[in-house]
Amino acid sequence: MKGECSADDGVPVSFISKIDFVKDGAKEYKYYVPPFNFGMVNNGIFRSGFPDTSNLPFLQTLGLRSIICLSPESYPEVIAEFLRDNGIQLFQYAIEMSK
């Protein structure tokens, strides 16, 4: 299902899917939030902006094996740990951007 929901701060965010599940007798929903500017380049190849922790459940569904990062900024430790825990290799090539 594709649509919109609100983040904790009230800002609408897009989600790709909503999964229904029952926990302690009550129906709950889990939203998968893609990173900013996410899109498929080719079958199994994706591109996006820098992910944050709200995107990790979504990224886990993709079965990623590697990520190429072109930003000179280091990945935050919580995201680097997620990559290690999920066997995802990070290749970082610090490219300075200019407009």
Side-chain angles (χ1 to χ4, degrees):
M1 172 185 285
K2 190 171 180 144
E4 287 195 359
C5 64
S6 291
D8 292 338
D9 60 5
V11 177
V13 293
S14 295
F15 63 86
I16 293 297
S17 61
K18 178 176 80 171
I19 306 292
D20 300 347
F21 65 97
V22 177
K23 180 179 178 184
D24 299 328
K27 188 181 252 190
E28 294 189 12
Y29 302 97
K30 185 170 187 172
Y31 294 94
Y32 291 96
V33 181
F36 174 74
N37 212 13
F38 177 84
M40 183 183 290
V41 175
N42 204 339
N43 190 22
I45 300 173
F46 310 96
R47 55 115 174 108
S48 75
F50 207 85
D52 64 31
T53 56
S54 68
N55 307 131
L56 299 182
F58 174 81
L59 293 176
Q60 198 166 31
T61 67
L62 299 175
L64 299 175
R65 296 185 305 214
S66 57
I67 290 178
I68 298 172
C69 177
L70 303 178
S71 172
E73 299 174 28
S74 297
Y75 258 59
E77 183 54 36
V78 67
I79 296 176
E81 183 178 330
F82 167 82
L83 298 179
R84 285 190 298 273
D85 290 349
N86 287 277
I88 302 170
Q89 288 186 288
L90 175 63
F91 299 94
Q92 188 160 10
Y93 303 98
I95 297 175
E96 294 293 331
M97 297 292 177
S98 63
K99 292 187 177 190

